[in-house]
């Protein structure tokens, strides 16, 4: 079962699982955070594929979550449903509490009730918050989130560990680093920049544009999700409670980063888009936002060692694929 199946990453994960011969039940609430037409278009690409079924479901409703799990009775659950985005968490915190805390708690409870073999869930590089030492390691302490979105994602990790500890539920959490590519999320900076440039509108840049991100192509993320899903974690008997590593435990629980490992500034991103679209961006600089992180970069050695998966798509290759899709989807010939 894949939750968030109409989402950017969720729909791509469903497609890859079907390609591998799996039966997949997708669930999504199709909320209007961004245009649901894009979500329905992603689902339309899956709808007629053998082995795929879909249910519209509000996972924050415990009864609806229970009905979904009773219908599917999944062996493996890939929980990607969430309320994303930092800016909205400043104005609509309840949406994040419901989607990222309540819904995740309901998924955990249903996995416990039906004794799922493995739960894989999406976390975020945002959990590193005020940390400044790069690259970020999953073994780093992450006690200083700088926005509510990050706080809810970290809380999801903690709830997941408690279920793993108490009930022996195998759980893997994956911290995604700035995922981009075709069929992406319109609220993300690269997508918003592309849309503004295509419309001849100004591009708003917060701060000086030198903020750095570890951009990770969606196909690499999907490969990592599938690799993790096929390898339920075991408890670490060497785990030291006197010097606890947050990424592992004596319980069957593990946290990993999935990132490309590179650094691209916002200004460099704009330069790539300018070259791809043949348009000079009209840049409008605004003051930096305190909810934004200065830089993100993933340390991925442990994930590569555990799964053999490695995010390797060069940024220029992935961004070219996005630009081609964007122009095809929004400006068909």
């Amino acid at each position: 079962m894949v939750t968030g199946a109409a989402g950017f990453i969720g729909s791509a994960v469903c497609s890859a699982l079907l390609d591998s011969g799996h039966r997949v039940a997708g669930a999504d609430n199709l909320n209007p955070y961004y245009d649901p037409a894009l979500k329905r278009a992603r689902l339309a690409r899956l709808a007629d594929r053998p082995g795929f079924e879909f249910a519209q479901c509000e996972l924050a409703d415990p009864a609806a979550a229970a009905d979904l799990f009773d219908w599917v009775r999944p062996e493996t659950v890939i929980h990607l449903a969430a309320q994303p985005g930092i800016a909205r968490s400043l104005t609509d915190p309840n949406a994040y509490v419901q989607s990222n805390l309540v819904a995740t708690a309901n998924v955990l409870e249903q996995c416990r009730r039906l004794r799922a073999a493995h739960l894989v869930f999406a976390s975020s590089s945002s959990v590193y918050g005020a940390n400044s030492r790069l690259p970020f390691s999953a073994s780093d302490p992450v006690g200083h989130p700088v926005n509510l979105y990050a706080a809810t994602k970290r809380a999801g990790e903690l709830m997941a560990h408690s279920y793993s500890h108490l009930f022996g539920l195998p759980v893997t959490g994956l911290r995604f680093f700035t995922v981009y590519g075709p069929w992406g999320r319109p609220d993300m900076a690269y997508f918003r920049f592309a849309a503004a440039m295509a419309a001849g509108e100004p591009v708003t840049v917060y701060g000086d544009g030198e903020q750095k991100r570890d951009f990770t192509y969606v196909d690499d993320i999907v490969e990592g999700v599938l690799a993790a899903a096929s390898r339920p974690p075991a408890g670490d008997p060497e785990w030291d409670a006197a010097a606890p590593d947050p990424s592992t435990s004596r319980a069957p629980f593990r946290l990993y980063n999935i990132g490309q490992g590179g650094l691209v500034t916002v200004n460099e991103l704009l330069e790539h888009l300018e070259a791809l679209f043949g348009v000079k961006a009209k840049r409008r600089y605004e003051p930096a936002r305190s909810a934004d992180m200065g830089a993100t970069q993933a340390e991925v050695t442990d994930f590569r060692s555990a799964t053999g998966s490695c995010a390797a798509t060069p940024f220029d290759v992935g961004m070219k694929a996005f630009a081609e899709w964007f122009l095809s989807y929004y400006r068909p010939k």
Side-chain angles (χ1 to χ4, degrees):
M1 183 166 74
V2 178
T3 73
F8 171 32
I9 300 171
S11 61
V13 167
C14 288
S15 181
L17 287 168
L18 293 167
D19 288 344
S20 298
H22 293 280
R23 294 172 56 222
V24 180
D28 202 294
N29 66 0
L30 298 174
N31 75 46
Y33 170 62
Y34 59 82
D35 187 0
L38 178 58
K39 300 180 181 184
R40 294 191 182 96
R42 296 184 187 125
L43 283 176
R45 302 170 72 229
L46 300 169
D48 295 330
R49 296 194 58 179
F52 182 73
E53 296 182 88
F54 175 76
Q56 186 168 347
C57 177
E58 178 50 73
L59 290 169
D61 177 346
D67 287 345
L68 174 69
F69 273 73
D70 282 339
W71 170 58
V72 179
R73 304 195 75 82
E75 179 179 333
T76 299
V77 177
I78 300 176
H79 178 44
L80 304 177
Q83 175 58 57
I86 292 170
R88 187 183 177 189
S89 71
L90 305 178
T91 59
D92 188 10
N94 187 60
Y96 292 78
V97 171
Q98 292 300 312
S99 293
N100 300 355
L101 297 181
V102 176
T104 296
N106 289 339
V107 168
L108 285 163
E109 178 60 14
Q110 296 309 314
C111 286
R112 177 206 65 78
R113 181 174 69 88
L114 294 182
R115 300 182 181 274
H118 190 194
L119 169 64
V120 179
F121 72 95
S123 188
S124 167
S125 61
S126 295
V127 301
Y128 291 103
N131 291 20
S132 61
R133 184 178 64 186
L134 298 177
F136 296 145
S137 168
S139 297
D140 292 339
V142 285
H144 298 87
V146 297
N147 55 70
L148 181 66
Y149 167 70
T152 61
K153 297 306 280 186
R154 177 56 181 153
E157 295 178 349
L158 297 173
M159 290 192 296
H161 180 266
S162 71
Y163 267 74
S164 183
H165 168 75
L166 289 170
F167 307 114
L169 174 66
V171 179
T172 301
L174 302 174
R175 293 172 176 171
F176 297 155
F177 280 67
T178 314
V179 188
Y180 74 101
W183 297 95
R185 273 180 26 220
D187 64 309
M188 293 189 70
Y190 76 94
F191 203 122
R192 289 189 293 103
F193 292 167
M197 292 166 65
E201 298 173 352
V203 168
T204 300
V205 179
Y206 294 98
D208 60 5
E210 289 304 302
Q211 303 94 323
K212 300 178 179 69
R213 291 292 180 267
D214 186 344
F215 282 88
T216 312
Y217 190 59
V218 62
D219 288 0
D220 293 334
I221 291 288
V222 170
E223 177 189 318
V225 170
L226 268 61
S230 67
R231 296 168 173 83
D236 180 3
E238 304 300 320
W239 188 78
D240 185 358
D245 179 347
S247 71
T248 186
S249 171
R250 291 198 183 102
F253 174 85
R254 196 65 200 262
L255 292 173
Y256 295 108
N257 294 330
I258 304 185
Q260 203 274 337
L263 287 171
V264 177
T265 69
V266 173
N267 289 328
E268 289 169 341
L269 165 62
L270 280 168
E271 290 168 5
H272 274 85
L273 290 173
E274 287 173 337
L276 289 165
F277 282 82
V279 174
K280 186 69 175 176
K282 303 171 185 177
R283 306 187 192 196
R284 181 175 61 199
Y285 289 88
E286 298 285 349
R289 301 180 296 187
S290 60
D292 290 338
M293 298 167 66
T296 66
Q297 185 182 27
E299 166 54 54
V300 295
T301 303
D302 55 349
F303 185 67
R304 186 182 301 122
S305 297
T307 66
S309 178
C310 177
T313 303
F315 180 69
D316 58 345
V317 173
M319 196 54 68
K320 182 175 185 290
F322 162 73
E324 290 173 349
W325 168 81
F326 181 91
L327 293 173
S328 173
Y329 184 80
Y330 286 100
R331 296 196 301 194
K333 301 289 187 198

